[in-house]
Each structure stands twice: as C-alpha cells, then as structure tokens.
Amino acid sequence: QVQLVESGGGLVQAGGSLRLSCTASGSIFSINVMGWYRQAPGKQRELVATVLNGGRAKYADSVKGRFTISRDNAKKTVYLQMNSLKPEDTAVYYCNADPTDWGTGIGGVWGQGTQVTVSS
C-alpha cells in the first residue's frame, strides 16, 4: 500500500495561486483514480478533483475553471494547480489514492493533509 505526502500549502491572498503536490512512496502506475479533497473548519470533507490514469479529470463545481489536477506517474506525483483563490477555498487539502467511492474518497489511502489559507 502506498503512502502519500502532500506539500505546497500555505497562506496566500485572494486572487493568488498555489500548487499542491502529492508524492507517493510507491508506484502509482496501477492506481486508476487519484484525487484531492478538502475539509474546511466545521464542514465535512468534500471532493475537489479526481484524475484517472489516462488523464481524464473531474472537478467540483466550486473549483471548475480555477483549479487543474494532473498526474505524473513517472514521478509518482499528483498536482493541484489552484488559481484565482478565494477565501472560501481555505481548508486542509488531502490527497487520496484508489478510492472505492471517488465522490467521498472512502476506501482509498489518505495523505496527512496540507493547510491552505486564503486571506481576503
């Protein structure tokens, strides 16, 4: 079972950009679905984006047009490019590998999370 380590979080002003990275301890060539999820204070964890092995991506409506998910299997890394950030994007962002339910991430392997804070 792979282990996942996220990086790239931080504090940014509204309208700014951040790129999150999720690096796996092992190969992700055989893992079909990789995803990013987030949890804001007092809220449930929610899907941000998922990417299949072939590169097809799905996004939550709230981030469409602003966020881009991608994966580099050779580097065992999944990325989340976040542009035009808003204060409501503030959350802990989690990487997930191979969920049985991609809508929630249930059944998959989770990383430890990285904090993203967007100031107004």
Side-chain angles (χ1 to χ4, degrees):
Q1 190 177 49
V2 297
Q3 292 182 317
L4 304 174
V5 178
E6 300 99 332
S7 61
L11 174 63
V12 64
Q13 288 189 329
S17 298
L18 283 174
R19 187 173 85 153
L20 305 183
S21 298
C22 168
T23 301
S25 59
S27 173
I28 63 171
F29 277 97
S30 63
I31 298 177
N32 188 32
V33 181
M34 299 288 298
W36 286 96
Y37 300 76
R38 66 186 181 187
Q39 187 167 20
K43 295 187 177 181
Q44 287 190 326
R45 186 150 46 187
E46 63 177 3
L47 169 71
V48 176
T50 59
V51 61
L52 302 183
N53 224 337
R56 190 169 69 179
K58 289 183 180 287
Y59 298 93
D61 288 343
S62 59
V63 306
K64 280 181 183 175
R66 300 188 298 122
F67 291 11
T68 303
I69 188 171
S70 61
R71 62 192 286 171
D72 186 331
N73 287 348
K75 293 183 178 180
K76 301 182 290 185
T77 300
V78 179
Y79 303 97
L80 186 68
Q81 177 66 45
M82 306 185 295
N83 299 327
S84 302
L85 282 160
K86 304 175 181 180
E88 51 264 43
D89 294 317
T90 295
V92 178
Y93 284 69
Y94 297 91
C95 182
N96 182 286
D98 202 21
T100 53
D101 180 342
W102 62 264
T104 62
I106 289 175
V109 176
W110 293 98
Q112 84 288 352
T114 186
Q115 176 71 47
V116 171
T117 302
V118 184
S119 63
S120 57

